[in-house]
Amino acid sequence: MNYFSSDFKLGILGGGQLGKMLLTETRKFDIQTYILDPSDEAPSQFGATKFFRGSLMDFDTVYQFGKMVNLLTIEIENVNLDALDKLEEEGLPVYPSPKTLRLIQNKGCQKDFYVQNNIPTSPHQRYVDLNDLRKSLEKDELEFPFVWKCAQFGYDGNGVKVCRSALDLVKLPNVECIAEEMVPFKNELAVIVVRSVSGEVKTYPVVEMEFHPEANQVEYVICPARIDEKVAQKATEIALKVSQAFNHVGLLAVEMFQTEDDEILVNEVAPRPHNSGHYSIEASYTSQFENHLRAILDLPLGNTNSKVAGIMVNLVGEEGFSGQVIYENIEKIMAIDGVTPHIYGKRETRPFRKMGHVTIVNENMDEARKIAEEVKNSIRVISV
Ligand code: ADP
């Protein structure tokens, strides 16, 4: 199939920042791209060949959108899967497959899948709702502490709570959930695996994530992770095993814990471009977005190695500020060598809202880390 400067149309469900960054690549290759998103402020609306406003969860909207394109991918997991099933049945290539998305959409199903496929993960129990979990506590089948996770629609840590006593349960919603054993980890790692339609596979280097202690959002992503080569190898092997188990096509970001005794446990996966791979735009030979496109179009995959050390700092809305956004001191950080901000295009800031990110590249990792801290301490996402 000829994709380049042709009538071929790629459809993307979701028009957030991930879609926006994918569009940089479809523009580079001159591939027509249609986007569907519910928001009229979607960051992707200007870069697409056509932008459609509509619900990603509505069967008819997703089905009709799919009928206009030649291949469908996603930048968000929460989409109507029945529509994708039907489109796939009718011959439309959909990557990742609705079957994979169904397993991933529900954290309980996802965890069961790891257990069934001998993929190391922390032990878990599934509950139909919070009352069900409480009963399990009463019967001493479950003990504090544990990590509560809502089974569906959580993101960036907002559906996750560490529970140390009954008090921690008070404000939790009465929805389907899982309880996971707490992992005493010394590092959170991620590996992005890219796999094409015909099965060519490559992995990006292991990255290390540092989280904001309160908001549970990633603060720094560091590539390569400053870990032992053996641990990196183990993490890469496990990520490959996960990708194989899903028979995945496209990008799969595998988030993992490195435990105190250097075991690797899979936490969760994202079947799409991921925050932990944003550094690749500046630091890698081929960005994660370009490789996602190559994989789903069954083109040869690009080199996933890094050219330089890369660190990504998330730009999230400062606490106490809501409204028209201002990026305070953006000129100051742009005056530093190797610093590139990405602004997603959301006009309104809110506390902890993901507004953009900054990539720091440097020949030297220690220097990159120092600059990353300077960036973090200088730029502020505030409102007028
Ligand atoms: P989300 O899908 O919202 O990103 P995660 O499952 O990744 O949720 O959990 C968010 C964060 O909570 C993780 O990055 C980690 O810091 C912490 N966490 C999650 N599960 C566990 C666990 N079993 N033990 C310890 N900490 C955990």
Side-chain angles (χ1 to χ4, degrees):
M1 167 106 54
N2 179 27
Y3 306 112
F4 309 95
S5 302
S6 75
D7 288 334
F8 172 87
K9 288 172 193 70
L10 169 69
I12 305 177
L13 294 173
Q17 59 263 22
L18 300 174
K20 184 183 177 203
M21 289 183 267
L22 257 178
L23 287 174
T24 308
E25 307 304 329
T26 56
R27 286 281 174 199
K28 182 163 81 187
F29 291 149
D30 198 34
I31 296 170
Q32 289 198 52
T33 311
Y34 287 8
I35 289 210
L36 177 69
D37 192 273
S39 166
D40 57 3
E41 288 201 342
S44 300
Q45 60 186 313
F46 301 116
T49 311
K50 276 195 182 161
F51 177 79
F52 298 83
R53 202 175 151 205
S55 163
L56 297 168
M57 294 307 290
D58 179 64
F59 179 93
D60 284 331
T61 309
V62 172
Y63 179 73
Q64 295 305 337
F65 177 77
K67 281 303 201 191
M68 291 188 291
V69 299
N70 303 99
L71 193 148
L72 200 51
T73 190
I74 52 123
E75 62 108 61
I76 183 166
E77 292 91 300
N78 291 323
V79 297
N80 188 296
L81 296 182
D82 293 335
L84 295 193
D85 280 339
K86 188 161 156 71
L87 288 163
E88 198 178 46
E89 254 170 57
E90 290 172 2
L92 184 74
V94 180
Y95 303 122
S97 77
K99 193 170 148 264
T100 298
L101 288 174
R102 201 160 256 124
L103 281 171
I104 291 172
Q105 264 190 1
N106 183 300
K107 286 196 181 193
C109 297
Q110 197 185 135
K111 290 283 284 186
D112 285 351
F113 180 81
Y114 299 142
V115 175
Q116 284 152 15
N117 286 278
N118 289 322
I119 290 159
T121 192
S122 64
H124 73 287
Q125 296 184 58
R126 296 179 66 172
Y127 301 102
V128 290
D129 56 25
L130 195 64
N131 292 336
D132 192 22
L133 181 148
R134 283 181 197 279
K135 277 183 213 148
S136 190
L137 275 168
E138 280 161 19
K139 286 191 241 159
D140 288 332
E141 290 163 358
L142 175 68
E143 280 173 19
F144 293 109
F146 58 84
V147 182
W148 169 91
K149 295 185 182 182
C150 68
Q152 292 206 64
F153 307 120
Y155 65 93
D156 291 340
N158 75 354
V160 175
K161 180 148 179 81
V162 174
C163 296
R164 295 199 160 80
S165 76
L167 275 180
D168 291 320
L169 300 179
V170 174
K171 283 191 185 154
L172 296 182
N174 193 26
V175 294
E176 185 189 344
C177 58
I178 63 171
E180 263 182 45
E181 203 168 277
M182 280 261 286
V183 179
F185 58 81
K186 60 179 175 195
N187 254 321
E188 293 201 52
L189 308 173
V191 173
I192 293 180
V193 183
V194 56
R195 188 166 171 279
S196 75
V197 177
S198 51
E200 187 187 1
V201 183
K202 289 191 177 183
T203 54
Y204 279 86
V206 184
V207 302
E208 167 192 349
M209 293 178 278
E210 269 181 48
F211 279 73
H212 186 285
E214 285 154 49
N216 238 337
Q217 281 187 340
V218 181
E219 211 163 24
Y220 299 111
V221 172
I222 300 171
C223 180
R226 297 158 300 177
I227 54 170
D228 196 84
E229 184 50 38
K230 271 196 193 133
V231 178
Q233 223 172 345
K234 199 192 285 181
T236 306
E237 278 163 20
I238 290 173
L240 279 167
K241 190 173 172 186
V242 177
S243 155
Q244 254 164 23
F246 280 115
N247 209 5
H248 192 73
V249 172
L251 288 186
L252 187 74
V254 184
E255 293 180 33
M256 292 168 276
F257 299 120
Q258 177 189 1
T259 65
E260 299 289 356
D261 44 7
D262 284 345
E263 283 307 305
I264 297 290
L265 299 175
V266 172
N267 174 26
E268 61 168 1
V269 296
R272 52 169 170 73
H274 191 244
N275 195 260
S276 65
H278 289 352
Y279 77 88
S280 66
I281 297 174
E282 282 84 13
S284 309
Y285 285 96
T286 316
S287 83
Q288 61 164 345
F289 300 97
E290 181 176 334
N291 258 336
H292 181 65
L293 207 56
R294 286 176 179 238
I296 61 175
L297 299 179
D298 209 18
L299 297 165
L301 299 181
N303 185 344
T304 49
N305 291 336
S306 294
K307 295 182 274 193
V308 279
I311 300 188
M312 188 219 53
V313 177
N314 272 322
L315 290 181
V316 298
E318 195 92 9
E319 252 182 308
F321 293 90
S322 292
Q324 166 86 52
V325 66
I326 294 188
Y327 296 92
E328 191 181 75
N329 291 330
I330 193 163
E331 293 88 352
K332 188 176 161 203
I333 64 155
M334 286 175 79
I336 311 170
D337 246 15
V339 173
T340 305
H342 291 251
I343 303 301
Y344 297 155
K346 303 170 187 175
R347 300 293 297 271
E348 303 265 311
T349 184
R350 287 194 298 270
F352 303 119
R353 188 177 194 198
K354 267 191 199 160
M355 302 295 286
H357 72 261
V358 182
T359 310
I360 296 97
V361 293
N362 203 287
E363 300 285 337
N364 181 298
M365 173 56 86
D366 294 337
E367 188 60 24
R369 184 65 181 77
K370 253 191 260 165
I371 296 173
E373 203 153 324
E374 193 181 337
V375 167
K376 178 92 207 153
N377 292 336
S378 304
I379 191 161
R380 290 202 321 148
V381 183
I382 56 173
S383 55
V384 283

